[in-house]
Amino acid sequence: MAARKAIYLGTFAHCKTLQELEICPNGAIGVDEMGVIAFVDRHVKDTSGLEFRPGWEDAEIVAASESSFFFPGFIDTHIHASQYPNAGIFGNSTLLDWLNIYTFPLEGSFTSLSKASRIYNRVVSRTLSHGTTTATYHATIHVPATNLLADICKQKGQRAFVGRVCMDRMSPDYYRDENPETAVRDSRACIEHVRSIDPKFELITPVITPRFAPSCSEASLRGLGELHEETGVPCQTHISENKSEVALVKELFPKAKSYTHVYDDCGLLTSKMILAHAVYLSEEERALIKTRDAKISHCPASNTALTSGAARIRDLLDRGITVGLGTDVSGGYSPSILEEARQAMLVSRHVAMQDGDGAKLSTEEVLYLATRGGARVVGLEDKIGGFEVGMDWDAQMVRLGTVSGDGQGDLDTGLVELFGGEDWSECVAKWLYTGDDRNTVAVWVKGRLVHQVATYRP
Ligand code: GUN
Ligand code: FE
């Protein structure tokens, strides 16, 4: 919660729709003590920001400098917190061997709470520093370590969905659920822990997490479907990421009509389900996902790194399916949603080289996926993803380079070069293509300052 009212002054940008980025160069956004946006002025005449605002005389003024702007915090709809030490380490592997060689041994080591503490503290701090104000995490099967991740998110102030991973078959002996009953029991324990630290799930929400169909017996999927129905807690899993995985699901679930039907048959394909990847879905599966209003997390960096494939995002959007972005660390190598947005642009261009120009995603579209789209994926579209009255102040201040380009500024603004003739939409495009965490100088969640670079001065 914010300590006092604040007025954020200067340029702000946010996505109005999938196609429209609104940029207000002389804006003022008032945020109350609860961290909720109380007013949005699109054109302030008086740069003190206090004009016509009785009751806001004592508010803290946070002004963006000339080459800075406020942007909504990013939403990472799919990240494996436990895999963070492996970011960048995947060699030439593909999904199923990558899991066995790199991933299960690392995740299996989270019996050590001191190791979990070290890694989880780092991944939460690191994602915050990249402007990720909301993250949907896969943890591991371990209850104490998963609960610790929830505690760390709460303490550092990151909005988070925290999932205890379920896997009761086709998993190594050292890292698996004993049986479907223990998988459900341990998931329930993690839900109850979150309830004990955040009873209304205001910042932290538990998420039921069957790893993916090959790792789960039908009985465990059914048990988790029942838990979903009973508790109303959201769900997440992987779907149709890699061709060998799709073939394996067909073999393991011979009676199911499709991979998507495996989840649907077990009561897991609902509007509160986040499906990561969705590369090889059939026509019928996409239609079913639309009917159920299940959500998709697009993970382009991971899909390229593990040579999984290229998801057809334009088609999903045209069907009205809700899509957000996921870093999928460590299938994906970067904890940055800005990088993921960039990868979404590039992968869509590769798809366009095969399917035609219509597949290309625009700057506006990928920034929408990174914010509003992600908010819809996690069911918080009324709360986060944009700057509207009544929404929470989940935001980042982005600072670009100085026009002089002398490199002598007091702040390292990285690769973004401004030459003085750019309009604001060009500045945003430069940020998307050449920016990184050096440009994210301050980050707020619910009005609380949760990250700032050392040289940031409000
Ligand atoms: N499918 C099952 N588990 C995983 C995982 O950890 N990462 C990715 N990318 N795909 C998966
Ligand atoms: Fe994943």
Side-chain angles (χ1 to χ4, degrees):
M1 194 192 301
R4 59 187 269 218
K5 286 182 187 174
I7 298 175
Y8 296 88
L9 265 187
T11 303
F12 71 83
H14 68 155
C15 299
K16 296 278 279 187
T17 64
L18 189 58
Q19 285 84 25
E20 190 192 348
L21 182 71
E22 182 183 38
I23 305 177
C24 296
N26 286 302
I29 299 179
V31 176
D32 70 17
E33 295 91 336
M34 303 299 287
V36 176
I37 297 175
F39 66 83
V40 178
D41 273 358
R42 289 181 155 70
H43 297 286
V44 289
K45 289 179 220 88
D46 170 3
T47 50
S48 75
L50 298 177
E51 58 186 11
F52 315 124
R53 288 292 164 195
W56 288 79
E57 295 82 359
D58 296 334
E60 180 189 6
I61 302 290
V62 183
S65 68
E66 211 176 64
S67 61
S68 302
F69 61 99
F70 297 103
F71 196 77
F74 289 136
I75 296 158
D76 188 342
T77 60
H78 183 84
I79 170 167
H80 299 259
S82 52
Q83 296 173 16
Y84 187 43
N86 275 354
I89 304 176
F90 54 92
N92 279 339
S93 61
T94 52
L95 179 63
L96 299 178
D97 54 323
W98 170 79
L99 284 172
N100 285 311
I101 298 166
Y102 297 98
T103 306
F104 293 153
L106 173 59
E107 288 190 20
S109 67
F110 278 61
T111 46
S112 161
L113 265 186
S114 62
K115 181 170 184 177
S117 171
R118 199 157 41 87
I119 293 168
Y120 286 157
N121 270 291
R122 266 219 228 178
V123 73
V124 175
S125 293
R126 180 66 74 182
T127 51
L128 281 173
S129 76
H130 284 269
T132 298
T133 48
T134 298
T136 306
Y137 288 116
H138 282 236
T140 63
I141 71 169
H142 311 100
V143 174
T146 302
N147 292 345
L148 181 63
L149 175 59
D151 296 345
I152 290 168
C153 292
K154 179 158 188 240
Q155 183 246 322
K156 290 187 186 285
Q158 187 175 52
R159 197 185 293 278
F161 291 76
V162 177
R164 183 236 171 230
V165 176
C166 298
M167 40 196 284
D168 70 335
R169 73 160 165 189
M170 298 209 58
S171 307
D173 288 343
Y174 65 83
Y175 185 52
R176 67 191 303 158
D177 286 314
E178 251 174 69
N179 56 53
E181 290 74 32
T182 62
V184 174
R185 178 199 69 198
D186 290 355
S187 301
R188 195 185 284 280
C190 290
I191 293 171
E192 289 316 313
H193 176 75
V194 176
R195 219 187 285 286
S196 75
I197 62 166
D198 191 351
K200 292 187 183 157
F201 302 156
E202 280 173 306
L203 194 71
I204 316 296
T205 306
V207 47
I208 294 166
T209 307
R211 178 168 212 119
F212 69 156
S215 292
C216 297
S217 65
E218 194 176 322
S220 72
L221 289 174
R222 283 194 189 284
L224 294 171
E226 284 161 16
L227 187 64
H228 173 50
E229 191 177 6
E230 176 198 323
T231 58
V233 161
C235 306
Q236 61 177 347
T237 191
H238 299 83
I239 195 165
S240 208
E241 173 178 2
N242 160 294
K243 284 181 182 166
S244 309
E245 169 214 11
V246 174
L248 181 60
V249 171
K250 210 173 228 171
E251 210 177 286
L252 293 170
F253 295 87
K255 287 195 233 113
K257 257 174 98 181
S258 72
Y259 196 156
T260 305
H261 280 89
V262 170
Y263 295 136
D264 195 44
D265 294 346
C266 296
L268 286 162
L269 197 73
T270 72
S271 63
K272 287 185 164 186
M273 167 57 99
I274 303 171
L275 302 163
H277 301 285
V279 178
Y280 296 105
L281 296 174
S282 69
E283 179 80 26
E284 189 187 9
E285 290 181 281
R286 282 172 280 176
L288 180 59
I289 286 168
K290 169 66 184 153
T291 303
R292 298 284 184 264
D293 195 23
K295 313 299 195 276
I296 303 282
S297 175
H298 177 40
C299 307
S302 168
N303 292 341
T304 301
L306 297 181
T307 45
S308 298
R312 264 53 184 176
I313 298 307
R314 173 68 62 213
D315 175 80
L316 299 175
L317 293 172
D318 285 349
R319 288 167 190 267
I321 294 173
T322 303
V323 182
L325 296 179
T327 58
D328 194 30
V329 164
S330 67
Y333 51 83
S334 167
S336 160
I337 283 291
L338 189 68
E339 170 68 15
E340 207 60 41
R342 187 149 59 221
Q343 290 298 322
M345 303 273 276
L346 297 179
V347 167
S348 76
R349 278 154 178 71
H350 276 282
V351 173
M353 288 184 245
Q354 288 181 18
D355 296 0
D357 266 3
K360 277 188 206 177
L361 298 174
S362 65
T363 300
E364 291 80 4
E365 286 173 325
V366 296
L367 290 174
Y368 178 94
L369 298 184
T371 55
R372 298 255 190 198
R376 291 180 62 201
V377 166
V378 301
L380 293 179
E381 61 272 26
D382 295 333
K383 236 184 182 176
I384 56 173
F387 297 143
E388 316 285 349
V389 170
M391 282 188 164
D392 284 354
W393 180 250
D394 281 26
Q396 52 187 312
M397 187 195 279
V398 178
R399 184 156 161 176
L400 305 177
T402 54
V403 172
S404 70
D406 58 10
Q408 301 299 306
D410 61 345
L411 208 59
D412 179 5
T413 46
L415 300 178
V416 181
E417 297 270 21
L418 298 186
F419 291 86
E422 301 88 351
D423 64 25
W424 269 110
S425 69
E426 290 169 332
C427 287
V428 170
K430 282 195 169 191
W431 172 52
L432 175 57
Y433 275 111
T434 64
D436 57 39
D437 55 330
R438 286 171 290 185
N439 305 107
T440 297
V441 294
V443 181
W444 296 264
V445 175
K446 268 181 178 281
R448 173 180 166 195
L449 184 65
V450 289
H451 169 77
Q452 60 187 314
V453 298
T455 47
Y456 162 75
R457 286 186 308 270

